[in-house]
Amino acid sequence: MKLVINGQPRDFQLSSDAPIYQRVGESRLAMRQGSWIGGELIDFRAVANTIQMLVYRINFANPAADRYSRLALWQVHKTRQELDTAFRPLNVGGIQDMRVVSRGPSERPLNTEIVGSAGRATVRALRLRTLLSLRDSLFSYDIERNAQGEVLGMTFYGRGWGHGVGMCQVGAYGMALDGATYDQILKKYYTGIDLKKLY
């Protein structure tokens, strides 16, 4: 992971057992995993170049072009009952755990394993988003459990509203507001292209 320290980029490794927290307001939520897409503010404790503890938060003044949209960031809470209802088509029984098996280049989950009392199922990104009625598949999550370890609910922290493929209209609008030209916008989202006038 590359972090900018005092204006200089430095490479760090995240320890496999490092606790990760997301800061929301004054609260720090313990996360089973983190998801960064760039521009987040990160506090950490490191020994040499290995991060031992990390706290991250969304930078609402970040340079991302979608900062102009009220739809860019979202949070959704699902109760245990809502989760069991959402995952009923998977025939796994009551929800016991959920873990991301693989992520794509944008950090969207590609495959996620749902563990239930009657089995487990691996679900691809679009189906998971549909089952949970989430705005986008770019999200991190936190599982709430009781003292016995039973799932009480889950909170999803997401960014965007779409499929993550092609040109984001909110991001393109933000780039335009920042003064980008049409060709700069197109080349941002469609890399390696040449624009030619055909008429």
Side-chain angles (χ1 to χ4, degrees):
M1 124 181 320
K2 191 176 290 291
L3 299 177
V4 178
I5 311 295
N6 297 325
Q8 299 296 318
R10 283 184 55 191
D11 289 314
F12 288 90
Q13 291 182 334
L14 182 63
S15 174
S16 60
D17 60 351
I20 300 172
Y21 300 92
Q22 182 182 24
R23 183 174 167 187
V24 180
E26 294 305 311
S27 300
R28 285 167 180 77
L29 306 172
M31 306 295 288
R32 294 183 58 132
Q33 59 192 16
S35 176
W36 305 278
I37 62 172
E40 291 85 358
L41 299 175
I42 296 179
D43 298 317
F44 62 94
R45 183 183 315 132
V47 175
N49 286 334
T50 302
I51 294 176
Q52 305 295 323
M53 183 199 73
L54 184 141
V55 179
Y56 73 99
R57 62 188 162 101
I58 300 296
N59 179 3
F60 289 97
N62 74 52
D66 67 0
R67 70 185 180 277
Y68 296 103
S69 172
R70 62 181 176 79
L71 306 176
L73 301 171
W74 50 267
Q75 179 177 321
V76 174
H77 181 266
K78 301 280 184 182
T79 65
R80 167 64 183 265
Q81 183 178 5
E82 289 172 322
L83 292 168
D84 286 344
T85 300
F87 294 139
R88 188 171 294 137
L90 302 177
N91 297 314
V92 295
I95 180 75
Q96 293 182 333
D97 201 4
M98 184 172 103
R99 67 180 189 89
V100 175
V101 177
S102 60
R103 289 185 181 270
S106 67
E107 290 301 317
R108 285 173 168 80
L110 297 178
N111 294 290
T112 302
E113 184 181 50
I114 311 301
V115 179
S117 57
R120 57 185 64 212
T122 300
V123 182
R124 294 193 50 78
L126 183 57
R127 185 162 191 218
L128 180 64
R129 174 188 168 197
T130 302
L131 288 170
L132 292 169
S133 299
L134 300 177
R135 293 181 182 177
D136 199 294
S137 57
L138 180 56
F139 63 83
S140 59
Y141 63 91
D142 187 36
I143 302 177
E144 302 146 27
R145 300 179 185 274
N146 63 18
Q148 290 72 43
E150 298 167 333
V151 174
L152 298 175
M154 295 178 67
T155 302
F156 299 87
Y157 307 92
R159 186 164 194 149
W161 193 331
H163 43 61
V165 178
M167 184 169 66
C168 170
Q169 59 184 321
V170 174
Y173 175 69
M175 288 182 69
L177 288 179
D178 283 340
T181 61
Y182 76 92
D183 53 328
Q184 290 173 324
I185 294 170
L186 288 172
K187 288 180 178 180
K188 167 74 174 178
Y189 289 99
Y190 303 101
T191 57
I193 65 168
D194 289 319
L195 300 175
K196 295 180 181 177
K197 188 170 183 177
L198 296 176
Y199 58 92

